[in-house]
Amino acid sequence: MAEFATLAAEPRDRAGKGAARAARRAGRVPAVIYGDKQSPVTITIDPAVLVQELRKPGFFTRQFHIELGGKKHHVLARDVQFDPVFDRPLHADFLRVTERTLVHVNIPVKFINDQEAPGIKRGGVLNVVRHEIEVVCAVGNIPQSFTVDLTGLEIGDSVHISSIKMPEGVRPAIADRDFTVASVAAPTVVRDEAQEAAAAAAAAAGVAPVEGEAVAEGAAPAEGAAAGAAPGAAPGKAAPGAAPAKGAAPAKGAAPAKGAAPAKKEGGKS
């Protein structure tokens, strides 16, 4: 027969937020016992005792006896609310059960023999999909944990729920598929050379020519470039000794072109 931890409780006069706050001010944790077609019972629990049980593994899968006024209530913890700042219990819910009560519980999964898995030895990573498995079973058949043996697993292998042996009377809550519990994944994948070459080619195709690079043969000169500019000359500057464009005034200080009439002086005779 399983051994149950016993929690000593005190009755709480009334339910509600005000009564719960009063219980906390008195240094107690408000709680409620419900279920089994009986009226709910409001109680308070010593916070030190509750925290001690919370620190033990499998708090929500272990059965308790709550002792109240000389009577023991056979219960299963269903919920605990915590203070978001101080992380201390604020309220607890307990379900009244019998050995035959069917419940949904989350059972933790333990993985063993990872050093016996060739895939992990070669650098593979154990990818745990489910740290807990929800099952349906009678309270008297609740398992403490499920054990998964990783011996012989290679990279790419998976562990499915069908490979986990469950006690009699225990079944997964998800029954419509053989879901994955864990797998051995390959280490971080580096892009292969072909992908890198394709990426480099795509990047090169979208980059402008480097400054000073020659313009392709037959390409039109840049906008604003002087006609007849020597190859390699900067855009917008005429090559040394080049004739000015048709109709353009000669540069300051430059000799007039052959056959050109001298410039007319302002305010004087030519």
Side-chain angles (χ1 to χ4, degrees), residues 163-270:
S163 63
I164 297 179
K165 187 177 180 180
M166 295 193 175
E168 186 178 354
V170 179
R171 58 180 174 83
I174 300 175
D176 59 346
R177 64 184 184 277
D178 189 15
F179 56 85
T180 301
V181 176
S183 63
V184 178
T188 305
V189 180
V190 181
R191 290 187 306 174
D192 57 27
E193 294 181 1
Q195 290 176 322
E196 290 183 353
V207 174
V210 180
E211 185 178 353
E213 194 172 28
V215 179
E217 185 178 355
E223 187 177 350
K237 292 184 180 180
K246 187 176 181 181
K252 187 176 180 180
K258 187 176 181 182
K264 191 174 182 180
K265 293 182 180 180
E266 278 186 31
K269 295 182 181 178
S270 58

Side-chain angles (χ1 to χ4, degrees), residues 43-155:
I43 60 173
T44 64
I45 302 173
D46 183 351
V49 175
L50 181 59
V51 169
Q52 184 179 8
E53 293 298 332
L54 282 166
R55 288 175 178 170
K56 296 178 182 178
F59 178 75
F60 292 101
T61 60
R62 289 188 286 118
Q63 302 169 62
F64 296 92
H65 278 155
I66 294 183
E67 199 170 55
L68 179 66
K71 181 181 178 181
K72 288 185 178 180
H73 296 265
H74 184 190
V75 301
L76 198 65
R78 302 308 285 164
D79 186 38
V80 177
Q81 299 172 24
F82 293 90
D83 186 292
V85 177
F86 300 103
D87 198 31
R88 60 192 177 201
L90 296 178
H91 191 278
D93 293 351
F94 295 94
L95 175 66
R96 193 184 288 109
V97 296
T98 66
E99 289 294 318
R100 293 188 295 273
T101 304
L102 285 178
V103 291
H104 286 244
V105 288
N106 292 320
I107 307 300
V109 182
K110 296 180 180 179
F111 298 91
I112 61 173
N113 296 331
D114 55 327
Q115 294 304 316
E116 302 300 324
I120 294 178
K121 282 186 175 181
R122 288 168 42 216
V125 179
L126 179 63
N127 176 32
V128 180
V129 180
R130 294 178 184 268
H131 293 274
E132 295 180 330
I133 298 174
E134 184 182 4
V135 300
V136 181
C137 63
V139 170
N141 292 339
I142 296 177
Q144 293 301 310
S145 63
F146 293 127
T147 301
V148 174
D149 191 347
L150 302 175
T151 301
L153 291 185
E154 295 281 359
I155 292 176

Side-chain angles (χ1 to χ4, degrees), residues 12 15 31-43 68 73 94 96:
R12 187 157 46 111
V32 62
I33 303 173
Y34 65 94
D36 198 25
K37 299 180 181 179
Q38 299 181 38
S39 300
V41 178
T42 54
I43 60 173
L68 179 66
H73 296 265
F94 295 94
R96 193 184 288 109

